[in-house]
Amino acid sequence: MSNRTFSVLGLFDSSQQLMDAIPVVKARVSGRLEAYTPYPIHGIEEALGLRKSPVGGMVFIMGLIGAISALAFELWTEGVDYPVVTAGKPLFSWEAFIPIMFEVTVLFACFTSGLGMLFLLNRLPFFRHPMLRSRSMPLITRDKFALAVESEGQVLDVDRITAALREAGAQTIEVIDQPEALGPVSPRFLLRAAVGIGMACLVTGYLTYWCMKLFPVSVPMVHMLDQPRLDPQRRDSYFKDGFGMRMPVAGTVARGHIPYTIKTEDEAAVLANPLPRTGSVLSKGRQEFTTYCSVCHGILGNGVSTLTPAYGAKPANLVADKVREYPDGRIYHVIMMGKNAMPSYAAELTGDERWAVVHYVRVLQRALNARDTDIPKEIPR
Amino acid sequence: MSPSGHRGEIPAGSIPLAEASVDTLSRRRFLNLISASAALALGTTSCSRIDRGKIVPYTRKPEEVVPGVATYYASTFQEGVATQGVLVKTREGRPILVEGNAEHTVTRGKISLRAMADLLGLYDPDRLGRPSAGGVASTWEAAEQEIAQALKAARAAGVPVLLLTDTLMSPTRKALIEELRAAIPALRHAAWEPAVSQPEIFAARALFGEVLLPRLRFDRTEVILSLQDDFLGINGNAPSLARDFAARRAVSSAKDSMNRLWVIEGCMTLTGANADQRLQVRPSKIAPLAFALARVLNEVYGVPLPRDLNAGYLRPFELDAQARELGIEPPVLLALAEDLRRAGRSALVLAGAALPREAHVACHMLNGMLGAEGHTVDTDFAVPAPELLTFGALRDLLDEAGRGAFPIAIFWGTNPAYSFPDAAAWKSAVAKIPLKIRIGLYEDETALACRWRLPEHHWLEAWGDFEPAADLLSLRQPTIGAIHDTRQGEDILLACLRAMGREVPPTYHEYMKARWQREVYPGTSPASFEAFWDAALHDGLLRREARPRPPRVARTETFVEAMSEASAGSPGSQEDGLELVLLPGMTAYDGRYANNGWLNELPDPVTKATWGNPLLVSLSDAKRLRLEDGDLVTVSAGATSLEVPVLIQPGQSPGVAGLSVGLGRRTGNVATGVGVNAYPLMDVSSPSPNLRCSVNVARTGGRRAIPRTQEHDRMEGRDLARSWTLAEYALKAGGQEAGEHGHEVASLMPAQEFTGQKWSMVVDLSACIGCSACVIACQSENNVPVVGPERVLVGREMHWIRIDRYYDGNPAEPSVIHQPVLCQHCDDAPCEIVCPVNATTHSSDGLNQMAYNRCVGTRYCSNNCPFKVRRFNFFDYTSMKKEPESLVFNPEVTVRPRGVMEKCSFCIQRIQDVRQRANVESRPVRDGEIKPACAVACPAEAIAFGDLNDPESRVSKMSKMDRGYRMLAELGVKPSVTYLVDISNPMTGKGKA
Amino acid sequence: MNLEAVTVSEEMLPPVLRTPPVLDGPVSPGSLDDQVLAPVERRPPRAWFIAFACTSTVMLMGLILMGYTVATGIGVWGNNIPVAWAFAIINFVFWIGIGHAGTLISAILLLFRARWRNAVSRFAEAMTIFAVMVAGIFPVLHVGRPWLAFWLFPYPNQRAIWPNFRSPLMWDVFAVSTYFSVSLLFWYLGLMPDFASLRDRTKSRVRKFFYAVLAVGWRGSASHWRHFERAYLIIAGIATGLVLSVHSVVSFDFAVSLVPGWHMTIFPPYFVTGAIFAGFAMVVMAMVVVRTTMNLKNIITMYHLDVMNKIILTCSCLMGYAYLMEGWTAWYSMNQYVHHTFWAYIAGTYGWAGWLTITCNIVIPQLFWVRRLRRSYPAMLFVAVAVTVGMWFERFVIIVSSLHHDFMPSAWQVYKPTLVDLGILAGSFGLFFTLVLLFARVLPVIATSEMKVVLPGGQPRRDGGSHE
């Protein structure tokens, strides 16, 4: 039993009695007057001298914010961040954004009004208020009306207030004690809270992840990542060898792929290079040569390359006299059919590319066997 | 495909459609990191939810294949007496599409929808996978051994061996069979096709002593008279014919000359639907009418009769009398005669398989009189038609077998157990044959009657050569190694030869090559045979010069006989009962494609019925018999009768019923239970089995709903598919009504601008004949699922392009118009704005594109699409597929799962492919280089596609034509598809027919 | 509630709204509490259990069928192309409509100072909440891939994709979710003082804790009441705009598209009226049951029912006008497509549905011109049921009949619902009434604190005489 009193309250039967009592008590005692009623009583604000509620202003401001943010968001997403054309409408077609703007405005305004009232203005939820533990509370929420003189720190003169209330016509008087001041929040509580919040975050986070990532693709939800069609470079269970990519049937001729029928290098000599010696052809030739040939034959085609020591066989020196005397067709044939350790490059190079390479090989041969006469008479300074 | 175009799976610089801004990308990466770390924190990254599979490359990459890039093979499709040059598109050594080979001189790139659809047949799960003996799986070795012994025994005993095949169009196969006959002297080879026009053969043989396969030159034709001949529909060469036919109808101005199509028929055929003037006559009444026309031509217009034919014979054929009897205005017939005379040698008269022999004779007579024979009926390089058994002859053969004449019988290809009308004869025959061998694709009705069931290669796995014309050889080469443990039919015969102790090449491929080297190569080419052969395979054909054959001379006596028969009136022409026309359907043909889902679901161009063959009856007969669509009736002719639902066909002449054969199969997971088998209704003994007279139809009281893709036949006065006569066109040209380009609906929004390309399509309704080839091509190219009859019934078909068919005017004799409808890719597409998740949006080059994977399936877009071209996956249709069917999918197109909306994409994958190639070759995209599947397939070249922003492109020129209009333009959706008004060319100035 | 907040004096009001005899017989605040709050603590009667068993069974069946649909695909419904929308959307619009009476009664009538609303507002609001909950199921269920329906919400994602705010369906998402949350808030605020009184009167500790938490320590101090009233009134004011907007937005789903029969400017008011119409029918039905079974005859009086029936009658006439306007538009626009669609309404495949609609919504409610019928149970139940059926079929006609015949005759198709469709419809009713029954047991069906305001002698005398 603490010695300090929180408030003294008197119960009345009707709102009328309450209203009549207010001025009486006000005149007698100092201290804050507060009324508790089962339902709102009109005019009691004035009687108790309470100022008007500021809810309206809050609602207006938040509503405005809602409207602006909604419209801004729509304009940004549709016009700036994800500009896709639908039905030939302009990206900033604000007309279509009004309905959502309106709804968001309403949402903001209503929740400001409701929750603002509860949390900001009325400071609810508040479960430890001394009134809640008073005997009168059940009566008040039912049909009684209470007028209370509450202490704002100062010590109340209980007897005096009681007298005043009696005079104002209160049947029952209740004195409500100040609850013990709450000690500092215990570390255990803080720890519990932290852990609880942490757990909650984890669970919600995981659930969200599950809902958005895993749920949509679990059976029977169908999605498009695993296609029933057979894509290139894929295994296919239907064929016994498991290869999704099949070999063409021997002897067939695909469009644009007339088979190369020449058997020997000598026969190939008759082949003439169909490509002109233009810059583009030569650069094409260089590109392919560097990609496929230079690995063994060396960047200069002289058979000296990084790979050469790595394995036994000695790749041909393309700039040697022997090869220089080869006709174009013969070089082409070697590219087609391979030679000694060299495999065929038919699959890697198309016909034109092979001929371009032949041209480039010629360029290399010429470049590595330059003569003095190649140097122009007067060297430009 | 030029190989230089695209190598490397990811071609350099493919054009991004939507401009991805840098900060978007950075934000995307940021969010990726965030989510990744989140996932890490939650320890869920370990469970990767989709198995992305392993990479399985080529161990030794073939030269012609680049993964992800299509390779094409020239090959040949054959069906009955028709051969078509095709290009087979393969991906990674697997055919995924069949298109026409433009270099083929006969078909010139136009192939039938069955040729395209039979790709599905290659991957049909029902195909026979391995040889079996008496229903027990066996091996090829065992088969060869047993058959060899049997043959040896037969040869020793000198008893005949029966070999029944389908049409022999291949010279090498013919040679092979000759060799087999040399080895087994008593070999009895016979070829039989149920779907061949028997009366035509009779008539030609009687008239000219030989049966030719002339080339019909519609490009030279002014006036066509078709006597119940569906040359645009079921004719084997319909696509190439349609090309020339339509070329003369796609007029660019009112002054252009147009051909005129007269059709005299009982059943409504696709050809009849395209007629300028259509007269309804019962088939049995057509022959006399034709002779009457001949008489009028001779008497009124002084066209000379055939050599030494006495005009007296034509006396009985009174035009007016017949006109009166048939209820036709005599002036119309006179006009027809006048028209024919005016056209002279540029006229062309055709007679259909349903007509009796004498009608065909009359047809030849008219062609002869008009001079069309040799001009529009071009026999210069015609080859003789292969010998074919008639129904009667086959029955005799079976009777012979029934008397135990053949110890061994080989049934190769053709399927008599199903398609021979006289089942009793067949049964007694097979009962008496000890060893029966079946070579075929399926375990079908005939196979079930045989001990040995030897699976054959599908034509896409096989070698072969064909001789469609004297100056052309057409080659077939495999586009994929055998999918099952099958062999080519010829290889089986080679094995028999080997068993007979003959020295033959190991494979038919070698055999064919050897024969070509012996017989074809010499003197043909300077190059080595290898080079010559490879070139021929590459082109898929070999052109060679041949001497034009002399014109045919007709025997006068045959005319006389025919006239006497005609005047006597055909036996069944008495008025009681209906005349039933029994012809192969456009989809199942003679039954060989009955197990093909694509074809079963393809709506019939005229009736729009799918999954079945309803009995087509005329309005008046329906009224008389109190029939409604879907009522079950019993059709009884002679002893046989069967139960079938009816479909009331406007334009069917009273007293005529139509029923297509080829369905009602007893085998095959797809085919079983679809439609009814109408073959038994054919009269084997009759010279014209395709027409059955005095057929009785009676209601059973039952009902069977017919799945149709179009329930409503009339346009309700709406301005959707427009048709003018040439006269109207002349009036309207340049006038307000012409075109709709001025038709701009006021809009509050600024018009969308398309810099760069703006894809657009033009559909010429005047060229379109409604054959539906585009539908199959689209289905094959875009992985469009098959949904089955019960879902077509509730309106859930998935075709991306459909052909609307509207009847106009008097329902008894309506005019018909076809209109292909696909996504119109509207500039202001109403479907886009209503999609809540931005799943369907507009591309910078004017495409209305679908992001399937973003679609949640609200179906709002479909509601808001005025053309109703959007299709919804109500179920997961692809999950119902069996292996290896899924190999048919085009790897370039996403397969859509359930709950997703889909629609025509203008074949975006083809657009991108061409774009990428153009980029690699650093050149702009050429006009006409991009062709959607439908445009490629269209035999009439009615579909043009290209860049509308390029003033020189074909589409921008065509869309500016004064025939052009946009459908439902008044809605202000600005469609990208321009339709060109259908122009018809009737005698009288009042609309079609 | 604080009616004086709006400073309008009685005399300026129309007679209907003038201080009504909102009560039969003497009721004191205390007796009111005993009468309304007691049942919440008592064990429910057998009748309740029977009803609950029935409704929850139907609900369960519905839920199972919904699961079946999600697992198999929308194909199990009758939908097709062109009728891509059918039962799901019909039910959605129907239930959203039902959900409109509540907010209307609490908000608009509050502004109009109709005192009789206080007795019915709580129940009506509850029905709003439940109806919107039921309605909310259908948009999700009807999409082809429901498990991805969350894509309709604008949340940042790795794909950096945003939804399309130009689509009426997006407007729907916002309108409906806003409406639901605001209604819930409004309802809760109204309940709070009642929770307080429940907290203070109940004996069971569990209940006490439960109600105490819900009452968030409400102690009815004057300084709280003043904020409370202000906030409550403001929400009511805004909610008035909201309730009008929500069904307008729903109607945009149709009006904004170009389907003939949908593309009409009359749709927003037409839909809002229809919603109020159907909502009040449902409330009347419920009220008749409640006041008889929970013996609240003296609080929910015949007068209440009479007034609500008058509103129903008014709405019915407005609907009649809307129907006429549709015909007029079809004729006057001279648009052949709209013209055809209108004929399809009354003479097409679904003509019967059209006439059923007209009969139920226009003809039958005319009975309410007779005062005696306005005050007889059978009559009002009959009308209420008729209106409910009629309004459902109205949506059926608007959606299915318009879609099955639109621009392309070649695409015209007849729509037939499947058993699954019907089962899910039934299930939605099951779910709704299950929720209503639960509500009637655990929460006060009448806003006691609001009632106490209007009890005689509730308010102190003021200059200008007292109210009675």
Side-chain angles (χ1 to χ4, degrees), chain C residues 164-468:
Chain C
N164 178 7
F165 289 111
R166 301 185 188 89
S167 164
L169 286 185
M170 278 309 289
W171 307 346
D172 254 10
V173 170
F174 278 81
V176 172
S177 45
T178 305
Y179 185 55
F180 179 67
S181 40
V182 168
S183 312
L184 198 61
L185 176 73
F186 195 60
W187 192 50
Y188 172 69
L189 289 181
L191 269 164
M192 211 168 44
D194 292 3
F195 284 139
S197 24
L198 277 164
R199 169 197 66 199
D200 294 339
R201 61 178 287 132
T202 185
K203 300 281 165 290
S204 117
R205 306 197 58 247
V206 181
R207 277 218 196 78
K208 211 175 196 49
F209 175 78
F210 172 63
Y211 290 126
V213 170
L214 285 171
V216 295
W218 181 261
R219 54 187 191 275
S221 76
S223 42
H224 283 182
W225 276 122
R226 84 188 143 131
H227 296 307
F228 181 89
E229 289 172 300
R230 191 108 196 100
Y232 201 76
L233 194 70
I234 287 169
I235 297 179
I238 303 171
T240 310
L242 179 62
V243 72
L244 294 181
S245 83
V246 170
H247 226 55
S248 305
V249 168
V250 170
S251 79
F252 288 162
D253 290 348
F254 307 97
V256 168
S257 82
L258 45 67
V259 178
W262 287 9
H263 188 61
M264 291 196 179
T265 46
I266 194 179
F267 264 38
Y270 171 22
F271 269 52
V272 172
T273 321
I276 295 164
F277 191 36
F280 265 93
M282 195 61 101
V283 173
V284 166
M285 239 187 285
M287 281 308 147
V288 169
V289 178
V290 168
R291 84 186 284 254
T292 43
T293 56
M294 304 180 77
N295 61 33
L296 298 169
K297 288 207 175 58
N298 56 340
I299 298 165
I300 305 168
T301 64
M302 260 307 167
Y303 168 77
H304 291 100
L305 298 169
D306 182 80
V307 178
M308 289 194 279
N309 291 339
K310 281 181 186 157
I311 293 181
I312 290 177
L313 179 57
T314 321
C315 293
S316 155
C317 298
L318 287 170
M319 295 306 284
Y321 170 76
Y323 294 168
L324 286 178
M325 282 318 292
E326 274 194 289
W328 161 268
T329 320
W331 172 75
Y332 188 71
S333 67
M334 293 184 41
N335 177 322
Q336 57 174 332
Y337 308 112
V338 182
H339 201 262
H340 180 96
T341 310
F342 182 74
W343 281 116
Y345 283 175
I346 55 180
T349 325
Y350 301 107
W352 58 271
W355 287 112
L356 183 65
T357 310
I358 292 171
T359 323
C360 293
N361 294 353
I362 312 305
V363 180
I364 294 176
Q366 303 306 320
L367 295 172
F368 280 161
W369 287 108
V370 185
R371 186 169 195 279
R372 206 157 42 71
L373 296 177
R374 279 207 304 276
R375 291 170 166 270
S376 95
Y377 284 164
M380 63 180 90
L381 278 178
F382 171 62
V383 173
V385 171
V387 169
T388 313
V389 173
M391 283 312 292
W392 192 90
F393 271 98
E394 181 201 290
R395 275 67 174 248
F396 179 88
V397 170
I398 290 176
I399 291 171
V400 172
S401 192
S402 303
L403 283 175
H404 93 296
H405 274 202
D406 73 339
F407 293 99
M408 283 271 146
S410 59
W412 291 355
Q413 263 285 355
V414 175
Y415 162 84
K416 283 194 208 64
T418 62
L419 286 175
V420 180
D421 283 311
L422 299 166
I424 290 179
L425 173 59
S428 69
F429 276 91
L431 175 57
F432 178 74
F433 287 116
T434 310
L435 291 168
V436 169
L437 283 168
L438 285 173
F439 158 73
R441 290 326 306 176
V442 298
L443 297 177
V445 293
I446 289 186
T448 50
S449 59
E450 294 186 24
M451 277 308 289
K452 288 170 186 171
V453 175
V454 293
L455 288 182
Q459 293 296 343
R461 239 178 288 102
R462 285 160 70 234
D463 344 329
S466 77
H467 330 253
E468 273 328 283

Side-chain angles (χ1 to χ4, degrees), chain B residues 58-71:
Chain B
Y58 276 119
T59 38
R60 175 121 184 50
K61 183 180 149 313
E63 186 191 339
E64 56 267 61
V65 179
V66 176
V69 177
T71 313

Side-chain angles (χ1 to χ4, degrees), chain A residues 5-279:
Chain A
T5 315
F6 169 69
S7 75
V8 182
L9 68 80
L11 289 181
F12 300 85
D13 279 341
S14 76
S15 56
Q16 190 56 49
Q17 291 174 2
L18 177 68
M19 287 301 277
D20 299 344
I22 291 171
V24 180
V25 177
K26 225 192 191 133
R28 292 280 186 290
V29 296
S30 63
R32 193 163 139 275
L33 276 187
E34 176 63 283
Y36 296 92
T37 58
Y39 55 88
I41 306 299
H42 308 141
I44 200 164
E45 299 92 340
E46 295 82 353
L48 291 170
L50 302 168
R51 53 176 178 70
K52 262 216 151 309
S53 166
V55 175
M58 293 158 56
V59 168
F60 177 76
I61 292 161
M62 287 304 287
L64 209 59
I65 292 173
I68 293 165
S69 53
L71 185 60
F73 181 69
E74 293 181 274
L75 291 171
W76 176 70
T77 50
E78 299 296 295
V80 180
D81 187 48
Y82 193 57
V84 291
V85 180
T86 55
K89 298 276 181 293
L91 294 177
F92 292 98
S93 49
W94 58 271
E95 300 89 339
F97 300 156
I98 289 173
I100 290 180
M101 187 174 97
F102 174 82
E103 300 299 340
V104 176
T105 313
V106 168
L107 193 67
F108 274 49
C110 289
F111 273 78
T112 313
S113 174
L115 303 183
M117 177 271 291
L118 278 182
F119 300 139
L120 299 179
L121 301 172
N122 290 355
R123 306 275 157 69
L124 293 172
F126 186 9
F127 297 102
R128 294 160 152 275
H129 193 279
M131 270 307 288
L132 293 176
R133 277 174 288 123
S134 75
R135 277 178 281 99
S136 327
M137 203 62 225
L139 303 170
I140 294 167
T141 50
R142 183 178 166 86
D143 54 0
K144 291 281 182 282
F145 302 81
L147 181 61
V149 181
E150 302 185 337
S151 101
E152 295 163 306
Q154 85 278 37
V155 178
L156 295 176
D157 180 342
V158 177
D159 307 341
R160 196 141 167 279
I161 298 166
T162 319
L165 285 169
R166 285 238 179 278
E167 194 166 333
Q171 292 88 347
T172 43
I173 308 281
E174 185 181 4
V175 177
I176 298 166
D177 294 333
Q178 186 78 19
E180 304 75 18
L182 299 171
V185 187
S186 71
R188 269 185 72 254
F189 173 79
L190 285 176
L191 188 66
R192 279 226 201 98
V195 170
I197 292 167
M199 292 300 292
C201 293
L202 214 58
V203 169
T204 46
Y206 183 79
L207 283 181
T208 326
Y209 181 81
W210 183 81
C211 290
M212 290 198 169
K213 280 277 172 332
L214 307 180
F215 172 72
V217 295
S218 49
V219 192
M221 293 72 169
V222 285
H223 53 103
M224 266 162 268
L225 257 167
D226 51 359
Q227 284 279 307
R229 72 181 187 209
L230 176 55
D231 284 335
Q233 317 254 21
R234 283 304 158 87
R235 110 183 324 278
D236 185 70
S237 53
Y238 185 76
F239 298 109
K240 284 169 192 56
D241 58 9
F243 282 95
M245 300 200 291
R246 314 305 298 165
M247 295 300 283
V249 179
T252 57
V253 179
R255 299 294 268 186
H257 293 278
I258 297 278
Y260 185 75
T261 47
I262 296 174
K263 300 277 177 302
T264 70
E265 293 184 16
D266 305 332
E267 290 174 28
V270 301
L271 297 175
N273 192 333
L275 299 186
R277 287 190 183 173
T278 63

Side-chain angles (χ1 to χ4, degrees), chain B residues 271-576:
Chain B
T271 310
N274 285 283
D276 295 307
Q277 300 273 174
R278 185 169 177 275
L279 305 174
Q280 295 178 15
V281 179
R282 307 179 67 163
S284 63
K285 294 267 184 289
I286 288 179
L289 187 60
F291 283 115
L293 277 171
R295 178 180 171 193
V296 171
L297 279 171
N298 172 253
E299 289 178 358
V300 182
Y301 302 107
V303 180
L305 287 174
R307 192 167 39 79
D308 56 52
L309 172 66
N310 183 341
Y313 289 114
L314 280 168
R315 282 276 164 282
F317 303 104
E318 258 290 341
L319 190 70
D320 293 4
Q322 294 199 25
R324 244 179 282 107
E325 185 192 344
L326 299 169
I328 303 171
E329 295 297 310
V332 181
L333 290 171
L334 285 173
L336 166 58
E338 208 274 337
D339 214 19
L340 286 171
R341 203 246 338 156
R342 199 172 36 72
R345 63 203 292 269
S346 314
L348 174 55
V349 186
L350 299 163
L355 297 188
R357 194 181 69 108
E358 54 270 26
H360 289 265
V361 174
C363 162
H364 283 298
M365 181 166 162
L366 284 168
N367 280 331
M369 289 167 68
L370 294 162
E373 172 75 32
H375 182 65
T376 54
V377 184
D378 181 2
T379 55
D380 290 358
F381 300 107
V383 286
E387 280 299 317
L388 281 174
L389 288 184
T390 63
F391 281 77
L394 178 57
R395 212 244 304 263
D396 301 343
L397 188 68
L398 290 177
D399 291 347
E400 196 180 337
R403 290 192 296 277
F406 306 108
I408 309 174
I410 305 175
F411 301 101
W412 182 12
T414 183
N415 182 6
Y418 159 73
S419 51
F420 188 64
D422 187 346
W426 165 258
K427 280 204 178 52
S428 58
V430 289
K432 282 290 184 352
I433 302 173
L435 179 58
K436 297 177 288 289
I437 300 147
R438 170 59 165 170
I439 305 174
L441 286 169
Y442 294 96
E443 198 152 48
D444 56 11
E445 293 84 347
T446 305
L448 290 178
C450 295
R451 162 168 169 72
W452 280 104
R453 299 166 195 167
L454 305 180
E456 187 185 15
H457 280 353
H458 187 272
W459 65 272
L460 285 168
E461 303 166 317
W463 293 92
D465 60 350
F466 304 91
E467 191 170 17
D471 58 349
L472 179 76
L473 279 169
S474 185
L475 275 161
R476 168 184 291 176
Q477 60 180 331
T479 54
I480 184 173
I483 307 181
H484 309 273
D485 179 15
T486 61
R487 284 190 185 179
Q488 180 151 10
E490 290 86 345
D491 279 326
I492 301 171
L493 295 196
L494 280 174
C496 299
L497 277 173
R498 231 173 273 116
M500 298 290 104
R502 286 262 176 166
E503 275 307 314
V504 286
T507 66
Y508 183 61
H509 173 212
E510 298 295 331
Y511 186 86
M512 192 165 89
K513 224 166 141 182
R515 183 182 161 276
W516 273 57
Q517 190 156 15
R518 270 199 325 277
E519 316 204 342
V520 184
Y521 172 59
T524 327
S525 143
S528 72
F529 173 72
E530 286 298 326
F532 159 82
W533 172 253
D534 288 339
L537 273 182
H538 176 272
D539 301 344
L541 53 89
L542 173 70
R543 280 194 213 77
R544 48 182 193 176
E545 63 281 0
R547 247 183 287 93
R549 59 165 58 237
R552 303 185 282 188
V553 278
R555 288 174 57 249
T556 319
E557 306 73 43
T558 321
F559 287 130
V560 178
E561 294 161 19
M563 279 186 252
S564 56
E565 284 172 23
S567 57
S570 59
S573 72
Q574 61 265 39
E575 292 308 324
D576 70 327

